Amino acid sequence: MEDSLVKSRLEKFARLRAAGIDPYPPRAVTTAPIQDTVVQFARLANEEKSGVQTQIAGRIVALRRMGKASFLDLRDGTGKIQIHAAADVLGNESYSLLKGCDIGDFIAVTGEVFRTKRGELTVEIEKWTLLSKALRPLPEKWHGLKDVELRYRHRALDLIANADVREKFVHRSRMIAAMRRFLDQHGFLEVETPIMQPIAGGATARPFVTHHNALDIDLYLRVAPELYLKRLIIGGLERVYELGKNFRNEGVSTAHNPEFTTLEIYQAYSDYEGMMALAEALIAASVHAVHGNTVIRYQGNEIDFTPPWRRISLLDAVTEATGIDVHVSDPARIIAHGTEHGIALPPALSRGKLIEKLFDDFVEPKLIQPTIVMDYPIEISPLAKRKSGSDDVVERFELFIGGMEVANAFTELNDPLDQRARFEAQERLRASGDDEAQRIDEDFLFALEHGMPPTGGIGFGIDRLAMLVTNSPSIREVILFPTLKIKEETK
């Protein structure tokens, strides 16, 4: 069926060319946004003519042909309006060409604005121009595109067919703009750091690797910008942030995409307590910028972003949820306690990894309201400073909202000797088979040895925050072009 429609449109395309009409003219006349016209003439009474001409352009999204007169719905990025075309106004030739247009074509029209007997604001076409010929029909005759796989694979069709999808990406953009405004107003400087790095550092993750031919070296798509941003703190840029892409060679899920957007912020003379306050203020401001308040609904739950937020210890949260005492230092005892409570745990994991697994399974899904989970085992936090008075806990917190992690923050480790020892411990993990463990970054250690002031750092998952503010159940709903498996051609 679609092939026959495409064939029909190609035939129309050929007829236009033969008639000396360019289906894709190089430029369009200056036009007003449709919504401006709608607002300007909102008070026009039924059957009243404005006496004013407007010039608008957009895509034809509906076409009702009726002999010597036709009605069209024209849409641009701001709104939609009805168009009336009559042969006795346009002339038979021009009207015939307009009547031969298809849904999906772009046109520009000039004419008087009036309101019909039924109250529909309408433009009476006096002249028109074809701007772009659509060779394929719009999805499902403009009734909406529902096939999820097709929506993600052909986002242009998704945006054409589904107004709510367009609105989600408008909200995402407004959220990001509000975050930038907040940080700029608080003295932070936006910076850019390398996407391709000689060492994939700053996070525990498996990287993507590429090869630079001219230099004959392997480079890694960054898993995090952290180690470069901290170099800037060392260099005297005391408040910096970067909003950009990270890449992790991992699986996909409703909360994971291999290419994702983060906002990382570093502030000298601060710590993880300072990052808690920053997170509360920043996210509350961005949610308010999108919705006009700090209370939203997400997947059936009402979430209140009004600070202050709940704060709990990671170890206490796990013990409370499972009954397993994870405060003990021996991982074998944690495994034994798990068995006593009917929870089987992998025997090869470190204490920190065991606690992390228990948290992921039993605590995280229940953290719907904004919750700061703080004080993590040192084994799973190689870049965070030890908590005062403790040898095995660091000043780190993660922020959870809607049952998922949306931020990770530290009091940054600024002791170069301790940092080297942590890197070496990570290398030992890598040697034992953990291919996500971090590598020693000698260039970063060289910079750190020149002194870094006490610093707080935090990274936000922008895509997950966008899920929250748009009430989206999957990360693919808020990434314009999510990573998909290549579709095999059917023979």
Side-chain angles (χ1 to χ4, degrees), residues 319-394:
T319 298
E320 180 181 332
T322 64
I324 301 172
D325 183 7
V326 295
H327 294 80
V328 298
S329 59
D330 184 1
R333 290 183 61 188
I334 294 176
I335 293 171
H337 289 169
T339 302
E340 293 171 7
H341 289 82
I343 300 173
L345 291 168
L349 296 183
S350 67
R351 172 179 177 266
K353 288 288 187 179
L354 288 170
I355 294 170
E356 187 175 51
K357 177 173 174 51
L358 288 168
F359 178 85
D360 292 346
D361 292 346
F362 295 98
V363 183
E364 180 176 347
K366 299 177 182 178
L367 299 179
I368 304 303
Q369 298 302 317
T371 304
I372 291 170
V373 180
M374 53 197 292
D375 300 340
Y376 278 60
I378 194 170
E379 305 100 309
I380 56 173
S381 310
L383 299 170
K385 182 175 286 191
R386 281 184 173 85
K387 191 172 178 68
S388 181
S390 175
D391 291 329
D392 58 2
V393 173
V394 297

Side-chain angles (χ1 to χ4, degrees), residues 226-363:
E226 176 168 344
L227 300 186
Y228 284 87
L229 291 172
K230 286 197 282 194
R231 286 170 168 88
L232 302 182
I233 295 289
I234 294 166
L237 299 179
E238 294 179 345
R239 294 189 177 204
V240 295
Y241 73 93
E242 181 170 13
L243 198 152
K245 295 285 190 181
N246 289 344
F247 307 84
R248 296 181 185 177
N249 199 347
E250 59 190 14
V252 296
S253 72
T254 56
H256 294 86
N257 191 68
E259 176 184 353
F260 60 99
T261 303
T262 64
L263 169 64
E264 289 215 12
I265 306 167
Y266 291 84
Q267 180 178 348
Y269 311 108
S270 186
D271 57 13
Y272 80 148
E273 292 279 355
M275 295 301 102
M276 292 178 198
L278 176 64
E280 289 175 335
L282 175 63
I283 294 182
S286 63
V287 170
H288 191 278
V290 174
H291 292 288
N293 58 63
T294 54
V295 179
I296 66 171
R297 290 199 66 80
Y298 178 70
Q299 300 302 294
N301 296 296
E302 184 175 273
I303 299 179
D304 189 350
F305 288 86
T306 307
W309 298 337
R310 179 188 178 206
R311 301 182 183 186
I312 59 173
S313 156
L314 171 66
L315 302 185
D316 290 346
V318 171
T319 298
E320 180 181 332
T322 64
I324 301 172
D325 183 7
V326 295
H327 294 80
V328 298
S329 59
D330 184 1
R333 290 183 61 188
I334 294 176
I335 293 171
H337 289 169
T339 302
E340 293 171 7
H341 289 82
I343 300 173
L345 291 168
L349 296 183
S350 67
R351 172 179 177 266
K353 288 288 187 179
L354 288 170
I355 294 170
E356 187 175 51
K357 177 173 174 51
L358 288 168
F359 178 85
D360 292 346
D361 292 346
F362 295 98
V363 183

Side-chain angles (χ1 to χ4, degrees), residues 51-65:
V52 177
Q53 285 201 336
T54 189
Q55 192 164 270
I56 57 176
R59 185 193 291 271
I60 299 172
V61 296
L63 180 53
R64 300 174 290 281
R65 302 177 179 91

Side-chain angles (χ1 to χ4, degrees), residues 252-257 298 404 464 467 472-477:
V252 296
S253 72
T254 56
H256 294 86
N257 191 68
Y298 178 70
M404 59 185 171
R464 293 183 185 178
M467 289 171 61
S472 299
S474 170
I475 198 170
R476 293 185 175 190
E477 292 287 335

